[in-house]
Amino acid sequence: MGWVIARCCVLILGLAAVWTGVDLAGEPYRQAVEFRNAKTCTGGNEPPESSKCLVRESARVTDRGTREVVTGVGEDQNVKTEYTLSIRRTAGETEVYDVSQGLYGAASQGDPADLEIWRGEVVVIGVGDERDRFTPSSASSLVRELMLAWIGAGLVLSSALRMRGSGTRSEGPVMVVIRAGCWLVLGLATLVPTSEIVAHGSVGWKLVGWAVIWLVVAAVTVPLMLKNDIRRSRRWLPWRRGGGPAR
């Protein structure tokens, strides 16, 4: 009886999270769609913080920089170079932006930079023929709010559907953590591309790249979530094949 009450409580909590997340996502979604459909402003008196069009602004590159980011440990250690540009805005303030290698290579200290502003946020930096586009904060807010709904959906599924071993005393905490982690990773792989598509549209090769990444993530996480035992899960993992049975 105690397990039934616990399942009902988790189910109600999950439904509340789904309702709240979807409700909160309404405004970020509306703003992201407005950004995707925004055109360049034609007048000269649009307030940058509230305008529904893209405000053009002339700026200047004041400095360039690089930094190395180390990920992993031991033999799996990777070093990635990140590029930055310091841009002096019209109002006089200097802001630093992470940019692509192409834009970094095209820019030199003192070069003019063309900016496009969406409600106070720099969403385009152009130097010469190179342009970098940035996603507005509304897309990040959309991911955050929908992630709440995604977590709620996971709670609903874990309560309403009886997967093998789900919700029983025989299921160890390790498997619960693995399932939860896989669900969160799958959610990020689903919602981040979704927010990018809402803000920028589904054109170009990025859509293909997102689809490939999602399929890879799903191929790893979904079988792990469906497994009843961590040892069986380890036997399934691709890198275990050919390496002998899991202990």
Side-chain angles (χ1 to χ4, degrees):
M1 185 64 180
W3 283 103
V4 175
I5 296 176
R7 279 179 175 274
C8 290
C9 291
V10 173
L11 180 63
I12 294 172
L13 180 62
L15 290 173
V18 171
W19 180 277
T20 303
V22 172
D23 182 61
L24 292 176
E27 181 60 21
Y29 175 81
R30 183 187 65 80
Q31 293 183 14
V33 171
E34 284 185 358
F35 169 74
R36 186 183 68 205
N37 297 324
K39 307 297 183 182
T40 302
C41 297
T42 55
N45 298 319
E46 296 84 355
E49 290 76 16
S50 60
S51 175
K52 293 186 178 181
C53 56
L54 297 171
V55 179
R56 300 289 296 272
E57 180 181 319
S58 297
R60 191 164 298 276
V61 178
T62 60
D63 197 9
R64 307 190 313 160
T66 61
R67 60 174 178 265
E68 292 185 345
V69 178
V70 180
T71 58
V73 294
E75 295 180 356
D76 296 329
Q77 189 177 84
N78 294 314
V79 179
K80 178 183 178 182
T81 301
E82 296 183 347
Y83 304 90
T84 63
L85 288 182
S86 298
I87 306 291
R88 179 175 295 162
R89 304 276 302 272
T90 302
E93 72 273 17
T94 299
E95 300 173 352
V96 180
Y97 298 92
D98 292 329
V99 298
S100 66
Q101 184 177 3
L103 184 63
Y104 174 85
S108 299
Q109 186 173 354
D111 283 351
D114 297 320
L115 309 181
E116 291 185 9
I117 315 298
W118 165 257
R119 295 188 172 178
E121 298 181 62
V122 175
V123 293
V124 174
I125 298 178
V127 178
D129 295 330
E130 292 288 336
R131 290 164 63 87
D132 274 10
R133 296 182 179 274
F134 302 91
T135 302
S137 60
S138 57
S140 301
S141 299
L142 180 62
V143 173
R144 184 174 61 251
E145 310 302 356
L146 288 180
M147 199 65 191
L148 175 60
W150 183 271
I151 293 172
L155 294 176
V156 171
L157 288 174
S158 67
S159 301
L161 302 179
R162 283 188 170 274
M163 296 188 209
R164 291 179 300 170
S166 176
T168 65
R169 293 179 183 272
S170 60
E171 184 179 36
V174 174
M175 202 61 217
V176 173
V177 172
I178 288 177
R179 281 204 182 100
C182 289
W183 183 254
L184 292 177
V185 171
L186 183 61
L188 288 174
T190 303
L191 299 179
V192 171
T194 299
S195 69
E196 290 284 333
I197 291 173
V198 172
H200 296 290
S202 57
V203 296
W205 285 99
K206 271 190 174 182
L207 183 61
V208 177
W210 288 328
V212 171
I213 292 173
W214 188 90
L215 289 173
V216 171
V217 172
V220 174
T221 57
V222 172
L224 281 174
M225 286 188 288
L226 295 177
K227 289 296 180 180
N228 186 38
D229 186 88
I230 183 59
R231 295 175 185 174
R232 296 178 185 176
S233 300
R234 289 176 60 191
R235 290 193 186 99
W236 174 87
L237 291 174
W239 54 83
R240 296 295 306 179
R241 294 178 182 176
R247 296 180 180 177

